Amino acid sequence: MLSLILLMILSLIAFLITDELIHKLKNLFINAGLYGIDLCKTDKNKIPEALGVVSGCVFLITCFLFIPIAFGNGLMDTQHFPHNEFAEFLAALLSICCMLLLGFADDVLDLRWRYKLVLPTVASLPLLVVYYVNFNSTTFIIPIPFRSWFGVSVNIGFLYYIYMGMLAVFCTNAINILAGINGIEVGQSFVIALSIVVFDIIELQGDQYKAHTFSLHIMIPYLATTLGLLKHNWYPSRVFVGDTFCYVSGMTFAVVGILSHFSKTVLLFFLPQIINFIYSVPQLFHFIPCPRHRLPKFSAETNLLHASRSIIIKKDMNVFTKVMLQILTLLRLVDFTEDNESITINNMTLINLFLIKLGPMSEVMLTKKILLFQILCSCVAFVIRYPLATYFYDK
Ligand code: UD1
Ligand code: MG
């Protein structure tokens, strides 16, 4: 308990340092050519980009400083030093650190999508090795209604490691593609992190308290440094967070999900990101053209955002695309106009879907609505995790 209080004090200092450092360093980023233009504003000022590297570094340093506090007892009595827990903590920090480096490389070099899929897989390897050595539990508990077919549990062996690697790829990229309006990347990560912290606090009373204490040791400094970044990234953004932030965040959530054994619950907190990913599949896999930016279109006359659109040339459409379009139209999930040669369709992101369903709105209002949706999904996740789970799993 004392270590958690000390961690909160450290994290408060980390918040203040992140806030101050971002303020001091942002011009250096512009001088180094790391800046972007806010596509949803009339003025075309240079906005420093990739400031997630600052919050990420402060987050990691806070975790490093916390090591002697967390393992203080073990340091006094080296014969009983908890090597397993220490290896877990170090592997977690190493994976996050790798992602920070790779994310920053992406921001500087603007890597292709295929690398964005490979990088998190590589960065999750230290984590998987520690998981193998410390737990190597590759068993899925089957929900009660399906037990007559599959039994109480299924050991999926090596596939479990593939699942965990894919979780890291999904978490990092899913945040990166629910992006493009001020404060959305940091806002969604903040809500997910807060949901995990609440879940950890509830579970501190249970028999998995060690795993949840580990999760809190990572999430509390993450939450504090993210809040420091949000202060500068909230509408109107004075800094952009870059892919660095999205990668660090995704990997942090994957790390706690894997090592604290609640990856399914972490996925429940990712409900909006899962919806956005599934909705994006036609464009991500190029069945429908995918422009470099799918963020909403800003109208300077009204100061409102509208859904952005892409053009599909009819003669380039294959049967698969046609069927997909028919299904999406039937489900009323797309808004399109057509002429003899082409179809103009909205870019398929959750952000654009909100604009189609709720009408054009200001950027800050759109951010707030998406974040409200994220909070509602976290509430749904808690209902699934607690009252509903008792119908599917033994207590
Ligand atoms: C992802 C999305 C892309 C979206 C972009 C916005 C996919 C496949 N990719 O690409 O559709 O347009 O994120 O971040 O879905 N920007 C703003 N306002 C903001 C944040 C970003 O205008 O609040 C613009 C700035 O010009 C900034 C750029 O987006 O420089 C950053 O884009 P980047 O993170 O490099 O895009 P991707 O992650 O590749
Ligand atoms: Mg990005």
Side-chain angles (χ1 to χ4, degrees):
M1 196 62 201
L2 177 69
S3 61
L4 275 180
I5 293 172
L6 289 173
L7 180 62
M8 280 191 241
I9 297 170
L10 265 183
S11 300
L12 179 68
I13 299 169
F15 163 76
L16 297 171
I17 292 179
T18 309
D19 180 20
E20 187 60 23
L21 271 182
I22 292 177
H23 182 67
K24 287 224 165 97
L25 296 180
K26 57 186 183 190
N27 285 335
L28 285 183
F29 280 70
I30 296 186
N31 294 344
L34 276 169
Y35 61 84
I37 306 295
D38 198 328
L39 302 171
C40 298
K41 305 281 184 303
T42 9
D43 48 31
K44 298 294 168 214
N45 298 335
K46 291 176 180 174
I47 312 271
E49 179 120 43
L51 267 291
V53 74
V54 176
S55 65
C57 283
V58 180
F59 163 46
L60 282 174
I61 292 169
T62 313
C63 290
F64 293 151
L65 291 176
F66 180 62
I67 288 177
I69 301 173
F71 296 93
N73 290 341
L75 291 175
M76 304 279 186
D77 177 10
T78 43
Q79 282 199 326
H80 297 103
F81 188 82
H83 288 283
N84 286 1
E85 288 169 31
F86 190 52
E88 249 175 61
F89 200 69
L90 288 189
L93 296 187
L94 181 61
S95 287
I96 298 170
C97 193
C98 280
M99 238 30 243
L100 181 93
L101 186 68
L102 299 172
F104 195 58
D106 188 7
D107 277 325
V108 175
L109 306 172
D110 214 355
L111 299 175
R112 283 162 181 257
W113 270 95
R114 69 178 89 118
Y115 300 116
K116 298 193 185 200
L117 300 183
V118 174
L119 300 183
T121 318
V122 176
S124 65
L125 281 179
L127 203 66
L128 301 188
V129 171
V130 166
Y131 187 88
Y132 177 75
V133 175
N134 278 6
F135 314 108
N136 195 22
S137 157
T138 51
T139 305
F140 264 116
I141 307 292
I142 303 292
I144 294 168
F146 302 106
R147 285 190 186 164
S148 51
W149 294 307
F150 300 104
V152 177
S153 61
V154 176
N155 188 353
I156 58 168
F158 185 67
L159 286 179
Y160 199 86
Y161 287 89
I162 307 240
Y163 156 73
M164 289 189 289
M166 281 170 66
L167 185 75
V169 176
F170 174 75
C171 290
T172 47
N173 285 292
I175 296 174
N176 193 26
I177 62 170
L178 186 53
I181 52 174
N182 291 180
I184 200 74
E185 291 111 314
V186 195
Q188 63 187 292
S189 306
F190 187 79
V191 176
I192 296 172
L194 204 58
S195 310
I196 295 180
V197 167
V198 171
F199 177 61
D200 284 332
I201 293 172
I202 297 172
E203 290 292 320
L204 272 185
Q205 319 297 331
D207 50 3
Q208 291 291 318
Y209 74 96
K210 269 197 170 174
H212 289 280
T213 312
F214 166 82
S215 167
L216 281 175
H217 288 172
I218 305 242
M219 292 318 300
I220 292 174
Y222 171 81
L223 209 55
T225 48
T226 300
L227 193 62
L229 183 59
L230 184 60
K231 206 178 144 200
H232 296 264
N233 182 244
W234 188 253
Y235 180 92
S237 290
R238 280 141 291 142
V239 304
F240 287 147
V241 298
D243 293 347
T244 318
F245 173 78
C246 303
Y247 287 2
V248 167
S249 303
M251 190 48 102
T252 307
F253 300 140
V255 158
V256 296
I258 291 170
L259 292 181
S260 301
H261 318 283
F262 58 81
S263 58
K264 279 183 285 177
T265 308
V266 167
L267 281 177
L268 283 179
F269 294 137
F270 266 74
L271 218 55
Q273 288 69 22
I274 293 173
I275 296 171
N276 185 53
F277 172 73
I278 295 173
Y279 188 45
S280 297
V281 161
Q283 285 196 301
L284 293 181
F285 293 96
H286 294 285
F287 298 116
I288 289 172
C290 184
R292 168 70 182 85
H293 281 293
R294 301 192 297 160
L295 50 80
K297 194 168 167 358
F298 175 67
S299 155
E301 290 98 62
T302 56
N303 247 330
L304 298 178
L305 296 185
H306 300 251
S308 61
R309 286 161 202 282
S310 286
I311 294 172
I312 313 172
I313 306 296
K314 277 189 174 167
K315 66 175 168 49
D316 295 342
M317 275 168 63
N318 56 31
V319 185
F320 197 67
T321 313
K322 281 181 193 158
V323 174
M324 201 180 285
L325 270 183
Q326 270 170 356
I327 296 171
L328 285 166
T329 316
L330 209 69
L331 297 173
R332 296 170 183 247
L333 288 176
V334 283
D335 180 35
F336 68 87
T337 51
E338 62 181 312
D339 58 29
N340 290 339
E341 274 141 39
S342 64
I343 294 176
T344 307
I345 190 169
N346 67 285
N347 285 316
M348 293 173 186
T349 65
L350 187 67
I351 301 177
N352 283 323
L353 190 61
F354 264 62
L355 288 168
I356 291 170
K357 295 292 174 196
L358 305 175
M361 63 184 101
S362 68
E363 187 173 0
V364 68
M365 187 50 83
L366 184 55
T367 309
K368 282 182 186 167
K369 290 222 158 108
I370 304 247
L371 292 185
L372 189 67
F373 181 62
Q374 183 90 46
I375 294 170
L376 283 177
C377 285
S378 279
C379 297
V380 171
F382 276 110
V383 173
I384 296 176
R385 182 62 183 74
Y386 287 110
L388 277 189
T390 51
Y391 293 102
F392 292 98
Y393 292 101
D394 307 316
K395 277 201 172 173

